Amino acid sequence: MNSFELIPTEENLIHTLDKDLLKRNKDLVRFYDLILAQEGASSIAIDGRWGSEKTFFVKQSMLLINAKNPMSDMDDEKKASIVYALPFPKKAEDMPENYDVAVYYDAWENDNDTDPVFSLVYEIIKQLGINYAFDDNSNAFKLAGSVLEALTSRNINGIIEKLKSDNPLTKIKEEKDLHENIKNFFTELLVERGNRLVVFIDELDRCKPSYAVQLLERIKHYLYDDRITFVFSVNLGELQHTIKHYYGNTFDACRYLDRFFDMRISLPPADKTAFYREMGLESSYVLEKICRKVIDTYNMELREATRFYRQVKAATYEPTHESRKFDFSFSDGKGRQLLLMYVVPILVGLKIVDISLYNQFVCGKSSKPLMDIYKDSDKGEWLATRLLNRNEAFEVEEGKSVVTVEQKIQQLYDAIFVTEYTGKVYHTILGEYEFDDNSKNFVKSVESMLSVYADYNI
């Protein structure tokens, strides 16, 4: 099965920049200008919902910062491919000077560590490829060595005893004056690599509450420096829940976070058009049109949209794209084809965005999802027209009953999920289509991706 998910590999990051698939290149340039405008110690929160590809945005920002730094180790060809894909001024005199250096820290991957300062400094050391060519007597060399020893289990005797104490950071600080050593470490680090360090901290809102709080407070106390900008990629709503979980529901988490974030900006929404085209969702086939409608109705973020379309495509692609493999010539077969195109995508989408509403929908308790997708859309009107019986019309006609689009959609829902088929009522005819007691099980089977229609190789 093909995965359309935007995995933030360097190859994908650069490819997406080159094609501007998310239409965020202009936002990256503006954010880059914002970073360059920082003076003194600063902290910025980028707020976005889960699945909005915040990680993609910050990793592209990190690439851009390092590509624009003439002192970085990135090769010139890669620098050029990144910079020239972006809408910078092309005149050399209009290009801002940049000697910033950027690193990325995944807080969630490290939230089992004893102390955030260790893993954060270690990540800086690792990503910047420090070769330890410091003076043996320098504080920077001592700090780098101590952090590496603590985190890689080398020369662990004695250090482990400090880490077992109730407050290991205080113990280490007593011996090494950690705060001052860290400042000296950054001084020596930036002399060789730039004039400002930009640290992107991601996934903080997914961390254990104790670690999230500790990381924020340790950074504020030990790493807040005039030469460092911290960029936190977070879902602020979820982070506030995390803080409340730690301090209590009555705690003012919003005001608390103001201590750490000098600036809060919202991640600009991605323009999904080019991305849909890359996925194949711009096709004129009915299934793709319905999928786009489901994505828009439920306001799916990019990650949700890619998961959703991948599952729908695996479950129903073959029989809905002019395949001759399946015969839908009979009335019940036409009904099944309608279910594949118009109902299965809703089931798949509901399982991703709202499992409670999914359960209500398939149990015959709520037709709301079907109404949300089709009631006020051209697709709904077209569908309702095909469901009209011979004695029905949407406008007054002699000898015909006047019905509404909403009524026909409700009848479709009832035929699939509500009607109890017995010896007297063994099927429901709606226009060209027939539904029976197998219809409900059919759509659930297809949605499960384990039916005869599933194709895992598309």
Side-chain angles (χ1 to χ4, degrees), residues 6 100 304 329 450:
L6 284 172
D100 291 358
E304 293 172 326
S329 57
L450 296 177

Side-chain angles (χ1 to χ4, degrees), residues 384-450:
T385 301
R386 303 293 294 272
L387 296 172
L388 283 175
N389 293 321
R390 291 182 179 180
N391 63 340
E392 296 175 329
F394 294 131
E395 297 179 354
V396 176
E397 290 186 30
E398 186 177 351
K400 293 187 177 183
S401 302
V402 176
V403 295
T404 64
V405 170
E406 183 176 357
Q407 286 174 322
K408 297 309 296 183
I409 294 172
Q410 184 64 48
Q411 288 174 11
L412 174 62
Y413 177 74
D414 292 344
I416 304 167
F417 297 109
V418 178
T419 301
E420 294 185 10
Y421 293 97
T422 63
K424 293 182 179 180
V425 180
Y426 60 91
H427 70 179
T428 298
I429 301 293
L430 295 175
E432 304 173 16
Y433 307 100
E434 177 182 341
F435 307 95
D436 56 29
D437 61 342
N438 291 317
S439 298
K440 177 178 177 178
N441 288 335
F442 174 77
V443 291
K444 292 181 69 176
S445 172
V446 173
E447 173 261 317
S448 75
M449 295 195 298
L450 296 177

Side-chain angles (χ1 to χ4, degrees), residues 231-422:
V231 179
F232 293 86
S233 167
V234 293
N235 180 326
L236 282 173
E238 294 299 330
L239 182 58
Q240 288 182 35
H241 289 314
T242 296
I243 301 300
K244 284 178 176 288
H245 186 79
Y246 186 80
Y247 283 111
N249 288 330
T250 60
F251 187 75
D252 191 340
C254 185
R255 293 281 181 85
Y256 171 82
L257 291 175
D258 278 340
R259 296 172 50 203
F260 307 103
F261 303 146
D262 302 312
M263 192 181 306
R264 304 184 188 200
I265 65 174
S266 297
L267 182 68
D271 183 335
K272 299 173 184 175
T273 304
F275 185 62
Y276 286 170
R277 190 179 303 117
E278 185 91 346
M279 292 169 61
L281 261 173
E282 283 298 295
S283 164
S284 60
Y285 281 107
V286 172
L287 184 71
E288 276 69 31
K289 290 181 179 179
I290 302 305
C291 285
R292 293 197 299 271
K293 179 65 174 176
V294 171
I295 290 170
D296 293 340
T297 299
Y298 293 118
N299 193 26
M300 289 186 185
E301 295 291 357
L302 289 173
R303 189 181 305 159
E304 293 172 326
T306 54
R307 283 175 49 211
F308 162 72
Y309 183 54
R310 184 189 189 201
Q311 291 180 38
V312 172
K313 195 171 180 181
T316 68
Y317 187 86
E318 185 68 25
T320 57
H321 289 72
E322 298 180 355
S323 168
R324 298 179 181 178
K325 183 178 178 181
F326 301 101
D327 184 3
F328 292 108
S329 57
F330 297 104
S331 60
D332 63 337
K334 283 187 175 182
R336 289 191 170 199
Q337 192 175 41
L338 180 145
L339 296 174
L340 287 168
M341 293 188 293
Y342 286 90
V343 180
V344 169
I346 296 177
L347 294 181
V348 176
L350 285 174
K351 269 208 170 170
I352 290 173
V353 301
D354 192 336
I355 192 64
S356 296
L357 188 54
Y358 168 90
N359 289 329
Q360 293 176 39
F361 185 64
V362 299
C363 289
K365 295 180 179 179
S366 175
S367 61
K368 185 178 184 302
L370 208 62
M371 295 295 178
D372 288 342
I373 301 297
Y374 299 120
K375 180 183 173 184
D376 298 316
S377 72
D378 57 345
K379 301 173 187 64
E381 185 174 345
W382 184 92
L383 173 62
T385 301
R386 303 293 294 272
L387 296 172
L388 283 175
N389 293 321
R390 291 182 179 180
N391 63 340
E392 296 175 329
F394 294 131
E395 297 179 354
V396 176
E397 290 186 30
E398 186 177 351
K400 293 187 177 183
S401 302
V402 176
V403 295
T404 64
V405 170
E406 183 176 357
Q407 286 174 322
K408 297 309 296 183
I409 294 172
Q410 184 64 48
Q411 288 174 11
L412 174 62
Y413 177 74
D414 292 344
I416 304 167
F417 297 109
V418 178
T419 301
E420 294 185 10
Y421 293 97
T422 63

Side-chain angles (χ1 to χ4, degrees), residues 32 55 129 144 148 163 167-168 195 202 221 271 324 342 350 448:
Y32 172 81
T55 296
L148 286 171
L163 297 179
N167 195 336
N195 53 23
D202 199 8
H221 187 67
D271 183 335
R324 298 179 181 178
Y342 286 90
L350 285 174
S448 75

